Every structure is written in structure tokens, then in C-alpha cells.
Amino acid sequence: MSPQEMIEKVLDLSTADDVVVIVDEGSSANLRFAGNTLTTNGVSRSSQLTVISIVGRGVGVVSRAAVRPEQLADIVAAADHAAEDAQPSEDARPLVEGGRSSDWDAPADPTSIGVFGEFAPALGRAFATAEAGGRKLYGFAEHIVTTTFLGTSTGTRLRHTQPTGRLELNAKSPDMKRSAWTGVATRDFTDVDVAALDASLAQRLEWAKKRIDLPAGRYETLLPPSAVSDLMIYLYWKAGARDALEGRTVFSSPGGGTRVGEALSELPINLSAVPAAPGIECAPFVVAHASSRQSSVFDNGLPLEPTDWIAGGRLTNLLQTRYSAELTGLSVTPEIDNLVMTGPEGGRSLEEMIASTERGLLLTCLWYIREVDPQTLLLTGLTRDGVYLVENGEVVGEVNNFRFNESPVDLLRRLSEVGASEQTLPREWNDYFTRAIMPPVRVPDFNMSTVSQAS
Amino acid sequence: MRQIDSDFLALPLRQLADAALQRARDLGAEHADFRLERVRAETLRLSDASLEGSIDADDLGYAVRVVKNGTWGFAAGIELTPEAAVKVAEQAVEVAVISAAVNREPIELAPEPVHSDVTWVSSYEIDPFDVPMRDKVALLADWSGGLLRDARVNHVQASLMQVKEQKFYADTAGTSTTQQRVRVHPELEAMKVQDGRFESMRTLAPPVGRGYEYLTGPTWDFPGELARIPEHLQEKFGAPSVEAGRYDLVVDPSNLWLTIHESVGHATELDRALGYEAAYAGTSFATFDRLGTLAYGSPAMNVVGDRTTEHGLSTIGYDDEGVATREFDIVSGGVLVGYQLDRRMALLKGMGASNGCAFADSPGHMPIQRMANVSLRPAPDGPSTEELISGVDRGIYVVGDKSWSIDMQRYNFQFTAQRFYRIENGRLAGQLRDVAYQATTTDFWRSMEAVGGPQTYVLGGAFNCGKGQPGQVAPVSHGCPSALFRDVRILNTVQESGS
């Protein structure tokens, strides 16, 4: 039974007032490597049916994997029964009306181990180059394709295919004392140049041959796009309108309400989400498998438009469902699965920013980022895989790692430079979020709280 | 003892396994294993006593893992027919053959006795999936409502996570295991919002390998804990901000379990120590060459790994490589003496047999070395928590976990808590705000002067510990007593934020 047939059958079987049906057909392939050799690898398939029954204002959600046709009636009955039994949902709204994708009838798009057809041999050659150059390569390559079919009792028939590829490449010296990282996001691995990435890591390991120990303190610091993305993604996750309205986030106004409209930065920074942004395309409609504080099953199928979260340095929108938008009196701006940050026109490249630095630190990436204080959105975490000292426009050596304590919201206020944006792979959050375009930034006084001995 | 659900046993477990394993043999695999599993997970969330969202989901499928030409091959499928299982086996072999071209380390596995046709079920009374959702929602709403009726509380978030995991495993050596376990995690958090500030206070009840009886029975005093939350919250809201500096700490088990998890549990995974997690989760300062000599902590530190602890979240009879689980020493008298192992890691470093730490969180994922229940032993005749506090002139008592972070070699960590209490002259002197403790792993554990007795011991834990690529989550428990640490660095988090 095809996903489309399954959806129609579920809609026929349900006795609920309204029904939302989501089928996610997934496939993945991955290669993992360590010390210039492959370690684990594999391929897998998945198929998930989610039935969201609505009776009155009650909702029942049942989701099952690998569903066989003879199981459909039981699954639908379970969802219908759960909806009849449920408390009224406060986010209940009429379902979105209609909408049909032009390719609705097409089958799901799978991936396979073949996606690495050119990449895997290139990786093998990179292993040989690294071995000859006294480096060891560690990392992970993954390609996932998920095709989501969304059908509702109000006639919606929408479909989206999301390819998600990522490569993390980590080079280390044989004694593991020097380490460098890079990563790329890709839709199909045809644009991944492993040799060039390995060469950039080789240069960083060369930089690291001179070791400079620095104490904890506040330093002028250049954060590359990957590090910026990890901080901005955390900010984005915490930008829920309802939580802000209830006074429980950094985006709550001390006098009540939200901080929407308030200037967060003197620089004209923009933070936005654009479903059709080239290279980071994502679903152009809401897909919500369950309601939460930042999503609503009733919003399934709602079109997603380009949305500014911060525009010209000012907080413009927060993550909204239709329900929370009514509470806050603000626009309906649901979460979107990509993030773009830009600064003033003419921003410089990271290399140009290094060249104009008198004395400062250059980070590679951040790791183990966790919230310390939700009131200020103070985060802690560590530097990883290369912190370099820049003096008079040049990298002069590698510095020890640090633990930082910083709030990304406060960082926006203190930025002294925002460079040219480019597509990047977040380091810590790339399990969940890969679609980001971010700039490098300069912070005059980044808080390195303590030294980390890790290398 | 409960039985494995009949609907799981009715699936064509052996048919699929036989078909897949035979095909792998025919294609020349040196080793093959088959794992069919169903993981059912239900999550409820309430906001201010109203149901915010719920989902009842499962994951069902099977995996074939082979060693062919000394290389792993892994494939996972979802169609429950012998023909499909054969194809998945062929895919796994194909992946191994393709991958062998870039593999330089032949895969070999430590020997394990054959465990033929064995079953295991965890210890629980009430299957949480047998309880109607309306009853669960009603209980959480009742608990939330009780908190909301207190004027000191403005908002309450409540959640309940429940998982039932069923696994069938078979391999070409002849082992076959069928297992079932359940786990639950109820959590409530109260929040006070006033004058542009907010604070929260969460329940300390840990996630457990028990059934629904955990919420309604005598194991944990939920009514008592909930009744105390408004007072704790009010006191925290009005507490003075901590003066940064160095303090002696008495750490409650409700906080210490997480410090153990991060600084001992992950640091003593042999795959990490050997570099197989280097690009992602990281490596470990506890390198293999330091086994038997590394002074991890003070002589009071004795840590064991154990996948047989009753009600532990990592507890199971046989791991995902068909290895019978057991207890083993990790730190004895403060010295590193052991690692957590899977079959490959055990053989790679001549450790003899695996100690049963292979786990995959889904039928679509390959098993990796995951954490046993890693626990700090209490002192047999050790002191109470009050007695530990009485030995501190100027210090802080740390209760409940909150924020956590540690570097990729498990040296530098920073933790916060639900509650911090000032200790003055051996007595508690009210709560403090804005506190975080920060240390290096070995400095911290070497500063542990005393551990409490068995009467202070609590089995804490986590539902969703992350590791590996592709990312996997694993449940794990950590038991520990209260413990006294001398001269630990305390930060003021408001000062850290520059506010």
C-alpha cells in the first residue's frame, strides 16, 4: 500500500470529526571512520504512520512504524478513541483548508549507499593522503531522505521530500594532541570536496605545532560561522512566544508581554528563516506530529513564509502557533527548519577578519552547550578542535581550550563586527539542525571562564 | 514475573532470523546477527494542568549485522517477510564488501558462550501501556493543580514518558534471546514569575526501570515531594546570590548521579578511550595505558558498572550482541581498574570477554558500546547526609540536577542544581542562588573526603543519554550516596553572564 493510499484509507476509516494523517517514508546511509579507517556503516529504511484524530476539541495521536494494511483499522480506532477520551485542547482551531502538491501522486524518494559512489573513493584517497602526511582522519558521513505526506479531512494533500546530508571531518596528530575540525552540509554529496577539506585541516594542524598557553579571561574572539550557528540555533529554540508571554524566557519583557520590537543589537543584524533559501531548502508548510508549546497539530499544512526573527538588530517575531499568536496579538510565525543570519552589507570573510585582528582568539567550534540560566539565556560550553592566537593579522599558534559562559542574546549586543555569511554545518546541533547560513563574528570580550585541558 | 507480550512473540521472529542468518552464511559472512525490536514510547505533557500534547508512538523493524572480509556491514528493514529479511542480509553483506576497500582494521569479536533460546523480562508490576491515558492525564493534572493552588506558584509543567522495549536477537553462533523491559519518567516543574524575574523548582524523582506503580505506590513519595516544592521555590526566589569562590560541597545523590555519569561513566567507555568516538563525543583522559595506575579519585571512591541492577534503566539480561550482563569494577579504592566493553573492544585490547555493554536504541541503528548502570558504592557503615554536613564549616549542600557540561576528554565540567544551601558551622543556613560548580574530573574525585552510608544511597538516572553517529539515545541509571568534597570552585552565574 502506497503512502497516499494509506492516507486515504485512514481518512475513510476514522469516525472522528477531523483527521490529520502524516506518513514519513525515510531511508538513510552512513559511513563512519576513525584513525584513517572505516569503523561502522550501514543503510536503513523507516516508515511511520501518524494518525491525529480530533473529536470536538479533543486530540488523539497514535504513531506506528512499519504498518501493514491489516493494522490500519486498529490504529485509527485507537486514535479516535484517544480523541474521544481526551481533555479539550487549548490550541484547538479549525484545520487548515485544502492545498495539494503537484507531485502528490509520486512515490517516496529513497537514498541508498550509492549516494557515496564518488565520495567513498575520495574519502579512501584522503585517508591515504592523511596517512602519508602524518594525520589521522575521524568523522562521519550521513545521507537521509525523508518524504513526508500530509493528508487531512479538510482536503489538504501536501508532500515534501527533504534530503539531509552532512560530513564531519576531524584531523588529529598521531599523539592526539592537535586536532582540527571541519564540516559541510549537503543535499546529495556531489558538492563535497574531501581533498580540499583535508588540506584545510592539514593547515590548521600546522598552525597548532606552536602551542601557547593562555589563562581564562575575556578575549577579543573571532567566531566562525559554525560556532555562530550553534549559538543562534539555541537562541532560536528558546524563542517561543508563549513562554515569553508568560514571563519565563529571556524574550519576556520585565514589565509583562514579550520583547518583540526591542533592539537586541546596535548592528543591523538579521536572523531569519526562508523555506526556499538555496542550498538549505526545507518544508514550506507546517508538519506537527504532536502539539507542544511551540507547535500545534491543528496548524498542519499551514504555509510557511520567509520570516524575520530579528531584523535590523530588532526582535521582530517569536515562534508562534495560531493559538499563541492570538494570546500574544502578534503574527502567526511558526518554526521553520532553517536559519539565516546576516550582518551589514559588505561584510568581510573570516580570512579578512583575521588579517585585520591585532590580537585575538580564533575559534573553530563550540561543544557541549547547555543552558545555565534561562533568565539571561546564559549558556556554557567548551571550545574544541582548535583555538588559535591571532597577532598582527596572522595566526601565530594554537591556544589551550576553554570553557565559556556566554549568552547569545547578550553577545548580539556586544558584537563589534559581522562578516560575510555562508552556508555552514553547525557542530554540536547537526544531529537536529543542518540547514544554516551564518556569518563569522567578532566579539570584543568573549568570556572564557576556565581553561580546559582537553585536546 | 511478567511474561513477554504475546503480540510480540507472534511476530515471525525466528522465521526472519533464520532466513537472514542463513543468507548471510551463504554469502560467506564470518559472523552475522539479527535483531528484531519494537520500542513503544508514549509521552504526555501538561501545561498548567491542561494537556498540552501527547503521542503514542512505536518503532518496529529489524537489522542484520555482518562481518564479512573483516569489515562490518549493517542494514535495517521493516517488511516482516522472510524474502525481505533475505534482501536486508544481502544489503548488509554488500555494504561490508564495499566498505572493506577502506577498512584497515579487521573486525574480530571476543568469545561469548552460546545462550540458546533464553528470555528475560524486567521487574515491574503494572505495564504503563495498560493504563488508560485519561488516568495518567488525570493524575498529572491533579498533581499540577495542587501546585497551582499555592499562591507561590505561577506555572506548572508536567510530563510523563513511558517506554516498552522488546527485542529478539539471534546470531550465527546459536545464541537467541527474547527480552522485554519498561521504564517510566514522571516530572513536574513549578515556576514563579514576579517583577521581571523567574525561578523554577523541579521534582527529584528519578526515571526508573519500573512500571506505572512507581507513580502510585510507595517507592517514591510524590505527594510529599510536591507538597514541599512551593516552599523550596519561594525560598530560592528570595535567596541571596552566591559569593564566587571555593567551598566544601556536600553533594546529594539527586545531583551526584549526573556528575558520575559525565565524569566517570562516559570517561570509562573503552571505545572513547581508544579514539572511536573522537570526532563526535570525544575521547577520554582515562586512556588505556593508565588502566591499573590512574588515581581517579580518593581511596573512598569505588565505582562499579552493572547491567543487572534491579530497576536500573540500563538493566537487561543479555546485551545487543548476545552477551550475558554482569557487574564489574571500574574504580577501586580510587584507582581505574576497568572499562565498559562490547565484544569488539574486549578483544581488541585483550580484556577477555565483553561485560555486556552493547546497545542499539532502534532497529535502524547498529549497536555501539553504551553505558552500564555506573554507580558509586556507599561506605558500608558510612555517615548520614546530616553527618556529612556537620563536618563542614563553610560550604554548600547541592540538591537535584539541572545544567551540565563537560569537555570532550572529560576533564573540565560545570554543573548547576535545583537547590543550593549554604552550610555554616555544620548546619544548613538557607538557599543560595546563581550557583554553579566547576572542576576537573580527577581534582574533584580526589577531593572526595567521605561518602555516605547505604541509608543515603539513591538510584538516579537519565532517559536519553546521547552518543554515537548516527546519534543514539540510551537509558542509564547511576546509584550513589551523598558525598563530601573539599575546596571546589563555585561560580556566580549572574557575574558570568556579565549582568
Side-chain angles (χ1 to χ4, degrees):
Chain A
M1 181 179 272
S2 73
Q4 296 92 333
E5 290 167 340
M6 191 176 285
I7 286 172
E8 301 305 334
K9 183 71 176 170
V10 168
L11 293 171
D12 281 349
L13 286 169
S14 177
T15 58
D17 298 340
D18 269 310
V19 189
V20 178
V21 194
I22 304 170
V23 176
D24 296 293
E25 292 284 327
S27 53
S28 71
N30 63 69
L31 302 174
R32 197 178 192 201
F33 45 97
N36 293 340
T37 187
L38 205 65
T39 53
T40 56
N41 51 77
V43 294
S44 72
R45 264 195 64 203
S46 63
S47 175
Q48 196 81 24
L49 166 69
T50 302
V51 179
I52 304 168
S53 294
I54 300 162
V55 175
R57 293 168 64 90
V59 176
V61 184
V62 174
S63 186
R64 295 285 179 265
V67 171
R68 302 184 296 280
E70 64 271 22
Q71 295 175 298
L72 280 178
D74 286 345
I75 295 169
V76 172
D80 287 355
H81 179 67
E84 289 159 9
D85 232 20
Q87 286 183 341
S89 296
E90 54 190 6
D91 58 330
R93 295 289 179 279
L95 290 182
V96 174
E97 293 277 342
R100 183 183 180 93
S101 298
S102 57
D103 58 351
W104 170 256
D105 294 322
D109 303 306
T111 189
S112 73
I113 198 77
V115 74
F116 300 129
E118 293 182 13
F119 168 78
L123 184 64
R125 291 192 293 275
F127 288 163
T129 305
E131 193 74 27
R135 300 183 302 283
K136 292 195 178 299
L137 293 180
Y138 298 75
F140 180 63
E142 180 180 50
H143 193 244
I144 300 171
V145 176
T146 303
T147 304
T148 298
F149 299 86
L150 170 69
T152 73
S153 51
T154 51
T156 297
R157 299 289 185 275
L158 294 174
R159 161 206 164 101
H160 174 71
T161 296
Q162 185 65 66
T164 302
R166 55 179 170 142
L167 168 67
E168 291 202 65
L169 199 59
N170 183 198
K172 292 182 185 297
S173 59
D175 64 0
M176 309 288 270
K177 300 287 187 193
R178 291 175 288 137
S179 182
W181 178 89
T182 189
V184 292
T186 177
R187 288 170 66 85
D188 57 13
F189 276 86
T190 58
D191 53 352
V192 177
D193 185 344
V194 185
L197 293 169
D198 178 44
S200 72
L201 295 179
Q203 182 199 30
R204 288 187 167 237
L205 288 188
E206 281 299 306
W207 286 349
K209 281 185 172 172
K210 182 178 178 187
R211 171 82 175 193
I212 300 160
D213 288 328
L214 289 178
R218 288 184 177 267
Y219 290 92
E220 178 169 312
T221 302
L222 299 176
L223 281 79
S226 177
V228 175
S229 68
D230 276 322
L231 293 173
M232 289 304 117
I233 288 166
Y234 210 112
L235 179 154
Y236 186 39
W237 285 339
K238 292 292 173 179
R242 188 174 166 196
D243 284 341
L245 182 70
E246 292 179 355
R248 49 165 110 172
T249 77
V250 68
F251 297 115
S252 303
S253 175
T258 74
R259 293 174 66 184
V260 168
E262 185 178 323
L264 301 180
S265 174
E266 291 181 8
L267 295 177
I269 293 160
N270 299 305
L271 187 68
S272 57
V274 184
I280 58 169
E281 296 92 339
C282 64
F285 54 88
V286 170
V287 180
H289 294 80
S291 288
S292 68
R293 295 187 71 77
Q294 295 182 10
S295 69
S296 169
V297 293
F298 296 94
D299 291 350
N300 269 302
L302 199 67
L304 296 172
E305 306 293 341
T307 304
D308 288 330
W309 310 109
I310 298 170
R314 194 170 294 277
L315 183 65
T316 310
N317 286 299
L318 295 168
L319 302 175
Q320 301 270 16
T321 62
R322 283 184 292 168
Y323 166 60
S324 71
E326 286 178 20
L327 294 176
T328 57
L330 299 170
S331 306
V332 181
T333 47
E335 184 170 357
I336 297 170
D337 196 20
N338 66 21
L339 204 55
V340 179
M341 180 176 173
T342 57
E345 294 262 332
R348 298 186 288 186
S349 68
L350 181 61
E351 290 69 28
E352 290 168 330
M353 290 169 69
I354 293 168
S356 66
T357 299
E358 190 176 325
R359 188 171 193 272
L361 300 179
L362 168 66
L363 300 188
T364 299
C365 50
L366 304 175
W367 185 247
Y368 221 132
I369 302 166
R370 293 293 183 277
E371 184 179 272
V372 177
D373 181 5
Q375 181 94 45
T376 56
L377 198 56
L378 179 70
L379 306 178
T380 194
L382 298 125
T383 63
R384 182 173 181 180
D385 297 311
V387 180
Y388 307 99
L389 179 63
V390 180
E391 286 184 332
N392 301 316
E394 291 189 353
V395 173
V396 295
E398 185 184 54
V399 177
N400 44 271
N401 280 304
F402 295 99
R403 168 174 297 289
F404 69 89
N405 276 299
E406 277 287 0
S407 163
V409 178
D410 199 55
L411 278 182
L412 292 177
R413 181 182 63 79
R414 289 157 39 216
L415 294 180
S416 55
E417 183 176 0
V418 179
S421 298
E422 60 184 60
Q423 188 171 346
T424 190
L425 183 72
R427 175 70 194 273
E428 173 144 26
W429 306 126
N430 70 45
D431 270 357
Y432 318 100
F433 203 108
T434 59
R435 287 173 275 279
I437 293 174
M438 292 282 148
V441 301
R442 185 189 303 274
V443 181
D445 52 356
F446 197 83
N447 180 15
M448 301 297 188
S449 181
T450 46
V451 169
S452 157
Q453 295 167 265
S455 60
Chain B
M1 182 174 153
R2 294 191 63 97
Q3 303 295 307
I4 294 171
D5 293 355
S6 57
D7 64 338
F8 182 72
L9 295 175
L11 294 171
L13 307 173
R14 290 181 188 282
Q15 252 186 303
L16 301 185
D18 289 348
L21 295 177
Q22 186 57 51
R23 185 60 181 150
R25 273 193 207 96
D26 292 346
L27 292 172
E30 295 106 69
H31 163 90
D33 56 57
F34 172 91
R35 177 171 45 87
L36 188 150
E37 86 181 61
R38 179 168 69 184
V39 183
R40 189 164 169 197
E42 186 180 276
T43 303
L44 310 174
R45 284 186 309 277
L46 278 73
S47 180
D48 292 341
S50 294
L51 183 64
E52 182 178 271
S54 68
I55 186 161
D56 170 3
D58 78 358
D59 189 5
L60 171 66
Y62 56 94
V64 179
R65 185 179 70 155
V66 302
V67 179
K68 163 81 174 166
N69 299 342
T71 302
W72 286 124
F74 176 86
I78 53 176
E79 291 167 31
L80 303 182
T81 65
E83 296 76 22
V86 163
K87 283 186 181 166
V88 170
E90 290 170 350
Q91 267 187 308
V93 171
E94 182 191 3
V95 168
V97 169
I98 292 171
S99 304
V102 281
N103 181 30
R104 298 171 185 211
E105 285 186 359
I107 302 297
E108 294 180 276
L109 305 178
E112 175 69 16
V114 170
H115 308 288
S116 183
D117 199 17
V118 292
T119 60
W120 181 91
V121 180
S122 68
S123 175
Y124 63 94
E125 294 172 19
I126 303 171
D127 184 335
F129 294 92
D130 287 345
V131 179
M133 186 179 286
R134 65 173 177 275
D135 292 356
K136 302 172 192 174
V137 172
L139 180 62
L140 294 182
D142 181 51
W143 286 351
S144 300
L147 286 168
L148 287 166
R149 281 191 289 278
D150 193 301
R152 295 168 292 187
V153 173
N154 299 103
H155 296 289
V156 177
Q157 292 295 127
S159 66
L160 174 61
M161 289 189 286
Q162 308 138 91
V163 178
K164 183 195 288 184
E165 189 182 289
Q166 297 161 317
K167 294 194 184 208
F168 172 78
Y169 169 91
D171 63 31
T172 43
T175 286
S176 65
T177 68
T178 313
Q179 305 183 86
Q180 175 169 301
R181 58 182 183 167
V182 300
R183 49 187 180 267
V184 295
H185 186 198
E187 191 172 84
L188 278 90
E189 184 175 42
M191 186 164 290
K192 180 178 178 65
V193 182
Q194 186 179 309
D195 302 330
R197 276 187 51 213
F198 60 92
E199 288 285 359
S200 66
M201 187 63 60
R202 180 167 52 71
T203 48
L204 305 184
V208 290
R210 293 180 184 269
Y212 192 71
E213 70 278 3
Y214 181 51
L215 282 79
T216 55
T219 308
W220 190 267
D221 177 18
F222 284 99
E225 181 174 25
L226 291 166
R228 290 186 291 273
I229 278 186
E231 184 182 341
H232 289 321
L233 180 59
Q234 178 73 11
E235 186 187 355
K236 184 179 184 181
F237 202 85
S241 195
V242 71
E243 183 182 334
R246 302 192 75 85
Y247 293 79
D248 295 340
L249 302 186
V250 174
V251 186
D252 190 82
S254 57
N255 182 272
L256 192 58
W257 76 267
L258 185 49
T259 312
I260 293 168
H261 175 86
E262 298 292 353
S263 68
V264 185
H266 279 306
T268 57
E269 297 165 329
L270 188 54
D271 60 341
R272 286 185 66 113
L274 296 178
Y276 292 95
E277 283 284 327
Y280 179 61
T283 57
S284 173
F285 75 93
T287 49
F288 190 73
D289 58 313
R290 305 174 86 179
L291 183 65
T293 60
L294 173 64
Y296 213 111
S298 74
M301 183 183 191
N302 293 288
V303 177
V304 294
D306 187 1
R307 297 198 72 189
T308 66
T309 310
E310 191 174 28
H311 305 306
L313 293 164
S314 175
T315 300
I316 200 159
Y318 304 87
D319 78 356
D320 285 353
E321 294 184 318
V323 174
T325 55
R326 66 200 66 168
E327 180 185 300
F328 52 96
D329 289 330
I330 295 176
V331 176
S332 286
V335 177
L336 175 69
V337 296
Y339 287 100
Q340 302 161 74
L341 308 166
D342 61 16
R343 291 180 68 178
R344 184 181 180 221
M345 293 300 139
L347 190 75
L348 199 62
K349 299 309 284 186
M351 302 286 281
S354 165
N355 48 33
C357 291
F359 174 74
D361 70 350
S362 136
H365 287 156
M366 188 159 168
I368 56 176
Q369 192 267 291
R370 293 310 304 262
M371 213 180 288
N373 303 303
V374 172
S375 301
L376 176 68
R377 287 190 189 279
D381 301 311
S384 66
T385 304
E386 292 72 22
E387 288 168 328
L388 288 170
I389 290 169
S390 71
V392 174
D393 289 336
R394 176 179 178 270
I396 295 175
Y397 175 45
V398 184
V399 181
D401 65 85
K402 198 169 183 191
S403 157
W404 70 100
S405 173
I406 190 165
D407 70 33
M408 64 284 185
Q409 286 180 312
R410 305 279 147 175
Y411 285 116
N412 178 306
F413 61 68
Q414 179 176 312
F415 293 87
T416 64
Q418 291 296 314
R419 304 196 296 272
F420 289 95
Y421 293 90
R422 194 168 67 243
I423 304 173
E424 286 181 357
N425 302 318
R427 292 172 180 272
L428 297 185
Q431 286 193 53
L432 291 165
R433 279 197 295 117
D434 312 324
V435 189
Y437 67 96
Q438 198 180 71
T440 296
T441 294
T442 46
D443 289 348
F444 181 76
W445 289 107
R446 289 171 190 168
S447 80
M448 185 171 70
E449 187 173 283
V451 294
Q455 71 276 28
T456 73
Y457 190 87
V458 178
L459 191 67
F463 238 49
N464 294 312
C465 165
K467 184 182 172 185
Q469 288 182 309
Q472 299 195 35
V473 293
V476 60
S477 291
H478 301 282
C480 56
S482 298
L484 167 61
F485 300 82
R486 297 290 189 188
D487 197 33
V488 180
R489 184 182 183 206
I490 293 291
L491 305 181
N492 180 301
T493 58
V494 173
Q495 289 170 4
E496 287 292 313
S497 72
S499 302

